[in-house]
């Protein structure tokens, strides 16, 4: 069983600020770090560190070669990571405030240069029993979903960042949704939260398994194993960037290897509690032995 993650690769420009910049304000930042990131790359790293056999498909420019190295160092196969001339690698401008929270401006760049030919070349190497993991930072997602469905792959969608393009996807082909409350509200078309929201999502996508992440309130699953709640573990937050990606990678790797929902949610919550105590995106994602050895505060 192989995992194909068709997803973004970003250069993250990470600025430490006292507070998020307000309208009309100019704020000095005395710290800039440049990290590897992108929801796709982060989730590939998390899946691989959690023990899955991961293939990352996506597009970078020549300025993003180091992103491929990050994936390879994490044990991810980059055969399907394409490098294009004359296009900039995608990037993110991330403000990290004194509470450790972030806000992000995204520039798609090469992430928006996925072609149907690339999709066809990649998907033909996968089949029934393999998994496809997707976020919403690349183009051609509806086509990727259709092709993967034709091949009998199981499909995981983290619809992040959420926008109207999500509704171009045949969402009935999705086996797993992993999403936060804002994304859940957009997909369900309601302003509900927590248990009301997961019920609405369950009604809308009755054949899917759904995990709703609730930040400090934990997470909740609805699907074949009923409704399962998981508390968040307490952590000294430095930077929340990639905490959601860490959760997605660890949860899905657990499920793919046959873990119960309860155990996979628990492992994913521990992994994301560790990730928020560290700076950066991919580099904040813990190794599996750290997650296993995690002690709750
Ligand atoms: O989820 C975190 C990621 O979102 C960052 O690494 C950034 O690149 C954006 O894609």
């Amino acid at each position: 069983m192989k995992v194909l993650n068709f997803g973004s690769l970003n250069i993250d420009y990470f600025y430490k600020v006292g507070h998020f910049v307000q309208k009309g304000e100019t704020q000095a930042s005395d710290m800039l770090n440049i990290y590897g990131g992108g929801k796709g790359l982060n989730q590939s790293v998390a899946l691989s560190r959690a023990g899955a056999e991961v293939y990352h498909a996506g597009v970078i420019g020549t300025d993003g070669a180091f992103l491929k190295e990050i994936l390879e160092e994490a044990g991810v196969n980059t055969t399907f990571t394409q490098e294009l001339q004359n296009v900039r690698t995608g990037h993110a401008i991330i403000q990290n405030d004194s509470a450790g929270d972030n806000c992000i401006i995204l520039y798609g760049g090469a992430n928006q240069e996925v072609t149907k030919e690339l999709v066809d070349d990649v998907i033909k190497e996968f089949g029934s029993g393999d998994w496809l993991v997707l976020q919403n930072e690349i183009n051609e997602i509806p086509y990727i979903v259709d092709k993967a469905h034709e091949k009998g792959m199981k499909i995981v969608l983290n619809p992040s960042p959420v926008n109207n393009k999500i509704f171009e996807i045949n969402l009935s082909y999705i086996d797993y949704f992993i999403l936060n409350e804002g994304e859940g509200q957009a997909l369900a078309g309601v302003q509900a939260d927590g248990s009301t929201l997961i019920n609405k999502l369950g009604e809308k996508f009755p054949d899917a398994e759904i995990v709703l992440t609730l930040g400090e309130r934990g997470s909740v699953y609805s699907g074949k194993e009923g409704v399962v709640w998981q508390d968040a573990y307490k952590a000294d937050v430095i930077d929340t960037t990639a905490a959601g990606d860490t959760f997605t990678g660890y949860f899905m790797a657990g499920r793919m290897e046959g873990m119960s929902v309860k155990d996979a949610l628990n492992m994913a919550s521990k992994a994301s509690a560790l990730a928020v105590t560290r700076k950066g995106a991919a580099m904040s994602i813990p190794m599996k032995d750290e997650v296993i050895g995690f002690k709750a505060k």
Side-chain angles (χ1 to χ4, degrees):
M1 181 205 63
K2 304 189 292 266
V3 183
L4 168 65
N5 183 4
F6 219 129
S8 58
L9 304 101
N10 287 335
I11 302 172
D12 286 353
Y13 295 93
F14 181 95
Y15 297 88
K16 186 83 201 157
V17 291
H19 59 268
F20 298 144
V21 178
Q22 305 293 300
K23 182 176 177 180
E25 181 189 10
T26 300
Q27 191 186 165
S29 167
D30 55 10
M31 199 191 78
L32 164 64
N33 285 305
I34 301 174
Y35 298 132
K39 294 182 198 307
L41 180 148
N42 298 337
Q43 291 180 25
S44 280
V45 169
L47 281 157
S48 182
R49 291 196 172 151
E53 181 188 351
V54 189
Y55 293 72
H56 190 98
V59 188
I60 50 174
T62 50
D63 55 336
F66 78 100
L67 300 174
K68 221 167 149 179
E69 286 165 19
I70 290 172
L71 287 171
E72 285 161 7
E73 275 165 25
V76 176
N77 185 307
T78 59
T79 307
F80 307 115
T81 307
Q82 193 180 60
E83 188 175 309
L84 292 183
Q85 308 291 320
N86 306 322
V87 57
R88 292 178 76 109
T89 298
H91 74 248
I93 295 173
I94 303 179
Q95 295 180 50
N96 172 228
D97 75 3
S98 54
D101 290 324
N102 68 48
C103 62
I104 301 178
I105 296 175
L106 206 57
Y107 172 71
N111 293 312
Q112 297 298 319
E113 300 290 335
V114 174
T115 60
K116 289 190 169 65
E117 292 69 33
L118 176 64
V119 175
D120 291 344
D121 282 351
V122 173
I123 298 278
K124 71 175 173 12
E125 303 298 330
F126 295 84
S128 169
D130 293 332
W131 291 77
L132 171 70
V133 176
L134 293 166
Q135 311 77 33
N136 191 30
E137 289 187 339
I138 61 169
N139 63 317
E140 293 294 358
I141 292 180
Y143 185 73
I144 298 170
V145 167
D146 289 349
K147 290 288 147 184
H149 180 76
E150 273 172 33
K151 295 282 286 201
M153 295 176 77
K154 285 198 156 93
I155 307 176
V156 180
L157 177 65
N158 168 225
S160 181
V162 74
N163 56 36
N164 283 338
K165 286 188 172 175
I166 286 294
F167 300 104
E168 294 168 18
I169 301 170
N170 188 335
L171 296 173
S172 68
Y173 290 168
I174 306 302
D175 297 285
Y176 272 89
F177 290 94
I178 303 185
L179 68 191
N180 65 24
E181 282 177 298
E183 293 151 5
Q185 289 168 358
L187 260 70
V190 293
Q191 279 304 308
D193 54 18
S195 52
T196 310
L197 181 54
I198 193 95
N199 289 339
K200 292 279 179 203
L201 287 163
E203 285 166 16
K204 187 146 189 185
F205 305 109
D207 299 326
E209 298 184 60
I210 304 165
V211 178
L212 187 63
T213 58
L214 307 167
E216 288 172 359
R217 288 175 291 132
S219 52
V220 56
Y221 161 98
S222 169
K224 295 185 184 105
E225 295 193 16
V227 175
V228 183
W229 287 85
Q230 169 70 47
D231 286 339
Y233 287 98
K234 291 201 181 355
D236 295 325
V237 178
I238 300 286
D239 175 14
T240 56
T241 311
D245 301 326
T246 304
F247 184 98
T248 297
Y250 266 88
F251 176 77
M252 284 316 308
R255 291 296 284 156
M256 289 164 187
E257 73 174 51
M259 252 185 209
S260 67
V261 166
K262 190 174 183 320
D263 288 347
L265 282 178
N266 189 32
M267 182 171 74
S269 301
K270 288 178 177 176
S272 54
L274 282 165
V276 299
T277 65
R278 299 163 185 181
K279 283 190 290 191
M283 62 190 266
S284 73
I285 299 169
M287 301 293 176
K288 192 167 185 179
D289 56 359
E290 295 177 281
V291 178
I292 290 166
F294 176 87
K295 298 270 179 291
K297 286 178 71 165

